[in-house]
């Protein structure tokens, strides 16, 4: 609706008492305004916002035909609504009223009356020019959704929830922790009445739980908020608890959980189990499992072995359960416990403290214990009874694992092995001092117990072909085949005479020794290569009595061998030479004489990423050797392939000779033939081969049952498992620096002198005490170790470990944010010794000590268990401090007095308080202060300079000295105490800026959420419909928090009561005649309020979504978009009026 | 009642008739305008040569407003919005930022020293930062002198 009527402007200049009139000549401003075009009357008045002032305006509108109003007064943020309402009451559209800010932005900030007045005149001129172009605007109405969202389940959130629910409205209470109650739940007594905090809090918590219209969403966080007041759409993520509501809080699970971590509720002063309830009166009372992702050791393991689980059980001496847990995911645990290269240890977080946990050795310990105490372990019976048969070729770790898994699933498995001994590389490659034959037999026996048929001395190629296996009419009729033939052919060096007698590949050498076949070892042996096979061959040759030299072409840091193997080889007398490689085998009479070696130097990196060794020309040297063992690599034996094979069946091989398979399903080019292990990976490790065997078993099962070959549940380690411990939020765990160091338990070994005489085991295994102690070094990176003891024991079967997070969208009308505070980190003030000296505690730690449910059962005790003889309470730790927080935390003085009172009540200690000022401002506070003084607490006015440990003479004396000034007597003092309590500051939550952004709440300079007005609107924010309360707005005590909560609730209820909100008409509209369809505006709108009408080829603004920022208005090249209330013309008119010369 | 500014240099109040700069500042409603109000409430003094025009978002700033301001006699222009990441309308201030980058180059073409245009971020609680900005700009423009753009 456009008014074409002549603007008749009324200008009203406010004195605002002295506020404006002192520095601005308001009469002069009035007179200048009266001269401006369009102005029909100009008035000044003491207080325009008063009824009389507003009446001036109304009368001019009603009687003098004023149809535009300028009020030159305080900020529009203060009184724009007031004057708009006045206009409306007189029948004028409220948007025809404009405010010129001559107070906050003029009178109050310019001392110079001349300059201030001139500026006020310009501002008014600008306002007059602008308002002449104002048009009436109609505000739309929107309904208000009566449901409310409260974020934060502390006392503020709970109180507000109860109040809003009392009025019959729905409330969603979202809380990040597993229980509501917030910080108040951690207190013992509250000042000044000394009410027990839990006693007054828990009835409200229970109430909140019981009310039908209050919905508790714990372990939940708000992810995003969209919409506007009365109509918000909030996305909330509820984290999985892993325990359903069937939980009866019986506590059986806690008895069996082996994981103990520092308890954040008790400020890390005691421990709690992974499955837990935060405190006895927690609401909801359902337990929760603290799971911080998968432990990195489990992620890094190719068979997803749950190391954290069995380690936790070993730490508690529950060895039988540990062995059973190991067997749940590992069919070859004896082997792994001795020879696995332990990728888990490489990623173990304990390395950040001193060294990784000795995971492999602990597994060995558990299995050896089982051998000695429960030797008849039986595998679980198969899940199904399938008719199909599967063939596995090769009895190495890949083949055995595949066979085990398939048999457990229910298939009939036959294992074919070409040698007379089962085990593949385990039997023929690994020497017995590392992998004793009895462990291979034991693990294979376990697989056999599942009914796997194992045929030895049966060779692929010689005794049967691949086709025979699968042929249904003339062959065996297997439904699928798994090729796990390993990589048993040594790769030749490719130098002249490398096939001479006396030269042998490492793999053949070891096989002959292991199988007891004839193998000569000369007096002087050279080993060429630097991998594990080279180490094995070297150490075996030493046992055969030779003098052994390892020739490696790069340097030690590029050697792929395990460091343990290398160290043992060195201990056993193997000599190592680096940057040397043979270029020719020297022979005489067709037999090895020695090697011609050249010196190498390191050049640019090659394909493996390691520096390429480059021979130095002319550096040849003749060396004499009796036996040369080449251990440079292996590849699969493929002689069987193409041996009378049907030529239409083709397998693919890589350039290195390994079988090519699909990366996920391990299937070859033949649909029913799968392959894995060294045959596919090249010479790899036992556990990697097992991982492939496991994956192949799953793939074969799906293939046979006709299910798709993707989305496998069996594990392939991710590229970067990550280190778990430090990723936990600080509130949940201390950091590495707080962990006391404990060295890794050394593996007892046979003395070197004894070793060389035989092939008996070198590593002897941990004792029970060593194993338990070593297991206790585990940091519980993922907290829950997934041992499943809880789910097995839970009587109502409430534990559900596969629970997922749920994400819901809530429609609410108003939001209250009451997210509380965090404590200042007292480590930062190093001179107070927190974290370094025993018995320096924070206020929350002292609270927990005082609490009957706390770590000391309510007794105030020093670290060593003695009662303190003197306690020093330090005020203002991190508050009122230029270095940390300048503000006062408001509650600490009263908390300190409370601590003093309780300490004197419960101990005989002398209590000292070190204060700057005593802030006892509230109801009953001063009286409490006087009372505590009369009870005998000594107060010393002066800041504490430092806390130092006291020198102990003859074992007695105080623990700590507090060094402070006493300003009232003007002296430096040293006060001996046994305990220091730091009253540390209240700070905004660590993620306050993120939370602020989600809810569009600004922050004050100190970081707390900003109220709309510190005096008149302490619970509102600049975003309509979003309110704040409690310590998230600033430090405060419980009475003030509850008051704010109720204030917030009242605001919410008033909005609900109104039922409707006005939608600001400051919005953009597209003039379709001018729009050229360039679409520039579309991508600019953050609310996606602009769409393109394909038919009309113009942009259209959705009024409901547009928030009126004006970005599109500014961007439109055709000036086709109008920003109502802030049009180009209006702004330019204001600019013109402002800059026009005055007077 | 009035407090003196406790940062920056003293504000000059000329006793004789000298040229006074005229600086126009466009402040976004939610952060900067509120911040400037806070300076006023706290009585932090700033140079009267700066006058404020209120817009809802710094993203509303049409570059032609800046040029028009210079043409109408302004010697300097300030644009102030919310800090990046905190824009009340999510992203408006980023749009302003890139427009101002481009505009500065155009100003050079017009023969206007780009230092006469300043883009700052002032939040709702940063009253003293607003005062410092205003004072600093006034000082800068006094050094640069009047623009005297021929219209």
């Amino acid at each position: 609706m456009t008014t074409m009527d002549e603007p008749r402007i009324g200008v009203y200049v406010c004195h605002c008492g002295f506020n404006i009139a002192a520095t601005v000549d308001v009469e002069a401003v009035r007179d200048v305004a009266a001269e401006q075009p369009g102005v029909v009357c100009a008035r000044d008045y003491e207080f325009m916002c008063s009824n009389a002032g507003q009446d001036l305006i109304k009368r001019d509108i009603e009687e003098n035909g004023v149809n535009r109003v300028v009020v030159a007064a305080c900020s529009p943020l203060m009184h724009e609504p007031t004057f708009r309402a006045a206009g409306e009451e007189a029948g004028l559209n409220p948007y025809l009223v404009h405010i010129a800010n001559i107070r906050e932005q003029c009178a109050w900030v310019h001392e110079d009356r001349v300059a201030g007045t001139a500026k006020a005149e310009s501002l008014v001129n600008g306002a007059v020019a602008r308002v002449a172009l104002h048009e009436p605007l109609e505000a739309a109405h929107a309904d208000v959704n009566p449901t409310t969202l409260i974020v934060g389940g502390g006392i503020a959130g709970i109180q507000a929830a109860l109040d809003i629910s009392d009025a019959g409205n729905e409330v969603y209470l979202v809380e990040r922790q597993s229980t509501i109650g917030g910080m108040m739940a951690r207190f013992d007594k509250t000042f000044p009445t000394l009410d027990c905090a839990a006693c007054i809090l828990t009835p409200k918590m229970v109430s909140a739980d019981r009310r039908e219209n209050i919905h508790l969403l714990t372990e939940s966080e708000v992810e995003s908020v969209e919409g506007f007041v009365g109509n918000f759409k909030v996305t909330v993520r509820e984290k999985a608890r892993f325990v359903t509501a069937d939980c009866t809080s019986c506590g059986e699970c806690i008895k069996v959980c082996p994981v103990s971590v520092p308890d954040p509720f008790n400020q890390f002063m005691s421990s709690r189990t992974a499955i837990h309830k935060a405190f006895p009166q927690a609401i909801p009372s359902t337990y929760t499992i603290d799971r911080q992702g998968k432990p990195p050791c489990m992620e890094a393991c190719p068979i997803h072995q749950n190391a954290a689980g069995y380690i936790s059980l070993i730490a508690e001496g529950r060895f039988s359960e540990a062995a059973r847990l190991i067997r749940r995911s590992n069919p070859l645990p004896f082997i792994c416990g001795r020879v696995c290269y332990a990728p888990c240890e490489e990623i173990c977080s304990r390395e950040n403290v001193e060294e990784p946990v000795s995971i492999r050795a602990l597994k060995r310990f558990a299995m050896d214990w089982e051998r000695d105490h429960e030797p008849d372990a039986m595998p679980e019976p198969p899940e199904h009874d399938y008719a199909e048969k599967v063939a596995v070729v090769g009895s190495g770790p890949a083949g055995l694992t595949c066979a085990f898994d398939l048999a457990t699933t229910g298939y009939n498995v036959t294992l074919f092995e070409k040698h007379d001994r089962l085990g593949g590389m385990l039997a023929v490659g690994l020497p017995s001092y590392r992998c004793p034959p009895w462990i291979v037999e034991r693990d294979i026996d376990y697989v056999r117990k599942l009914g796997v048929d194992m045929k030895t001395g049966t060779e692929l190629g010689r005794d049967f072909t691949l086709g025979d296996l699968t042929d249904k009419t003339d062959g065996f009729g297997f439904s699928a085949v798994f090729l796990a033939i390993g990589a048993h052919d040594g790769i030749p060096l490719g130098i002249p005479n490398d096939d001479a007698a006396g030269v042998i590949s490492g793999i053949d050498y070891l096989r002959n020794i292991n199988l007891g076949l004839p193998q000569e070892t000369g007096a002087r042996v050279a080993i060429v290569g630097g991998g594990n096979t080279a180490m094995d061959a070297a150490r075996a040759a030493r046992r055969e009595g030779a003098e052994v030299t390892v020739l490696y072409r790069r340097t030690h840091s590029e050697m792929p061998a395990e460091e343990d193997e290398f160290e043992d080889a060195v201990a056993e007398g193997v000599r190592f030479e680096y940057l040397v490689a043979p270029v020719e085998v020297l022979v005489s009479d067709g037999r090895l004489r020695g090697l011609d070696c050249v010196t190498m130097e390191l050049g640019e990196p090659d394909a493996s990423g390691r520096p390429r060794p480059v021979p130095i020309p002319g550096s040849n040297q003749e060396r004499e050797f009796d036996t040369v063992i080449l251990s440079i690599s292996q590849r699969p034996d493929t002689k069987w392939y193409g041996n009378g094979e049907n030529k239409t069946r083709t397998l693919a091989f890589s350039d290195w000779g390994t079988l090519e398979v699909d990366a996920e399903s391990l299937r070859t080019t033949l649909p029913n033939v799968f392959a894995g292990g060294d045959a596919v990976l090249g010479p790899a490790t036992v556990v990697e081969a097992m991982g492939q065997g496991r994956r192949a078993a799953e793939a074969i099962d799906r293939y046979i049952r006709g299910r798709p070959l993707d989305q496998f549940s069996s594990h392939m380690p991710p590229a970067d498992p990550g280190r778990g411990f430090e990723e936990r939020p600080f509130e949940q765990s201390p950091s590495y620096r707080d962990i006391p160091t404990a060295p890794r338990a050394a593996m007892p070994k046979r003395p070197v002198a004894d070793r060389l005489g035989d092939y008996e085991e070198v590593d002897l295994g941990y004792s029970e005490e060593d194993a338990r102690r070593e297991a206790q070094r585990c940091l519980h990176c993922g907290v829950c170790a997934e041992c499943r003891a809880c789910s097995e024991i839970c009587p109502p079967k409430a534990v559900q470990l596969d629970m997922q997070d749920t994400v819901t969208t809530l429609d609410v009308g108003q939001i209250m944010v009451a997210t509380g505070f965090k404590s200042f980190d007292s480590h930062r003030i190093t001179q107070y010794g927190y974290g370094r000296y025993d018995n320096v505690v924070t206020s929350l730690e002292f609270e927990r000590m005082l609490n009957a449910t706390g770590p000391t059962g309510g007794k105030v005790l020093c670290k060593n268990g003695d009662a303190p003889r003197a306690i020093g309470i330090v005020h203002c730790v991190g508050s009122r401090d230029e270095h940390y927080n300048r503000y006062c935390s408001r509650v600490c003085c009263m908390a300190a007095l409370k601590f003093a009172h309780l300490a004197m009540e419960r101990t005989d200690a002398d209590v000292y308080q070190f204060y700057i000022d005593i802030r006892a401002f509230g109801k009953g506070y001063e009286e409490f202060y006087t009372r505590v003084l009369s009870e005998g607490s000594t107060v010393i006015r002066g800041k504490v300079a430092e806390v130092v440990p006291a020198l102990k003479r003859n074992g007695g004396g105080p623990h700590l000295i507090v060094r402070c000034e006493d300003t009232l007597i003007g002296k430096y003092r040293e006060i001996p105490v046994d305990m220091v309590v730091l009253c540390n500051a209240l700070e905004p939550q660590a993620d306050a800026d993120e939370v602020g952004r989600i809810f569009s709440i600004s922050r004050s300079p100190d970081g707390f959420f900003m109220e709309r007005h510190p005096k008149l609107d302490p619970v509102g924010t600049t975003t309509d419909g979003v309110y704040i309360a409690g310590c998230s707005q600033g430090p405060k005590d419980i009475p003030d928090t509850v008051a704010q909560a109720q204030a917030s609730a009242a605001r919410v209820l008033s909005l609900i009561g109104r039922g409707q909100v006005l939608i600001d008409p400051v919005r953009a509209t597209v003039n379709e005649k001018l729009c050229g369809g360039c679409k520039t505006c579309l991508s600019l709108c953050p609310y996606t309020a602009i769409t393109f009408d394909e038919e009309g080829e113009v942009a259209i603004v959705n009024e409901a979504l547009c928030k009126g920022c004006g970005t599109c208005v500014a961007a439109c090249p055709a000036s086709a978009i109008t920003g109502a209330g802030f049009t180009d013309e209006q702004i330019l008119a204001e600019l013109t009026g402002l800059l026009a010369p005055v007077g | 009642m009035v407090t003196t500014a406790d940062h920056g240099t003293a504000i000059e109040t000329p006793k004789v008739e000298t040229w006074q700069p005229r600086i126009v500042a466009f402040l976004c409603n939610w952060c900067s305008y509120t911040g400037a109000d806070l300076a006023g409430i706290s009585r932090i003094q700033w140079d009267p040569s700066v006058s404020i025009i209120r817009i809802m978002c710094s993203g509303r700033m049409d570059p032609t407003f800046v040029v028009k301001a210079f043409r109408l006699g302004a010697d300097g222009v300030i644009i102030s919005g919310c800090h990046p990441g905190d824009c009340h309308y999510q992203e408006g201030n980023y749009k302003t930022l890139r427009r101002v980058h481009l505009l500065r180059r155009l100003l050079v073409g017009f023969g206007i020293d780009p230092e006469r245009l300043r883009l700052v971020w002032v939040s709702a609680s940063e009253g003293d930062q607003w005062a410092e900005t205003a004072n600093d700009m006034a000082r800068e423009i006094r050094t640069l002198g009047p623009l005297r753009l021929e219209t």
Side-chain angles (χ1 to χ4, degrees), chain A residues 75-76 101 104-105 108-112 119 997 1003 1005 1010 1022 1084 1086-1087 1109 1111 1114 1126 1128 1138-1139, chain B residues 13 22 30 33 37 40 43-46 48 50 52 54 57 59-60 65 85-86 89 95 98-99 124-125:
Chain A
S75 171
N101 184 339
E104 282 86 337
Q105 294 179 1
W108 273 351
V109 293
H110 308 316
E111 286 176 306
D112 179 352
K119 178 169 156 179
R997 249 173 255 139
R1003 305 210 292 144
M1010 201 167 88
T1022 46
L1084 293 175
Y1087 304 102
C1109 69
T1111 307
F1126 288 86
D1128 282 349
L1138 188 64
L1139 289 169
Chain B
T13 325
R22 304 226 55 202
W30 300 98
Y33 194 90
D37 269 0
R43 311 293 197 276
I44 304 174
Q45 304 291 297
W46 43 275
V50 180
I52 295 172
R54 174 184 177 221
C57 177
R60 177 69 187 88
F65 295 166
D86 291 343
Y89 303 99
K95 313 296 194 291
R98 60 189 193 195
R99 284 177 196 154
S125 57

Side-chain angles (χ1 to χ4, degrees), chain A residues 889-926:
Chain A
S889 290
R890 195 173 168 112
V891 302
C892 328
C893 277
M894 293 311 297
L897 291 171
K898 171 187 79 177
F899 291 150
H901 168 86
L902 293 169
M904 290 188 287
E905 189 181 76
R906 297 192 197 180
T907 68
D908 292 324
D910 292 329
V911 178
Y912 296 90
Q913 295 195 57
F914 305 93
Y915 72 99
I916 305 176
D917 297 289
I918 297 284
R919 276 134 193 222
F921 53 90
K923 192 161 176 175
Y925 288 11
E926 181 69 23

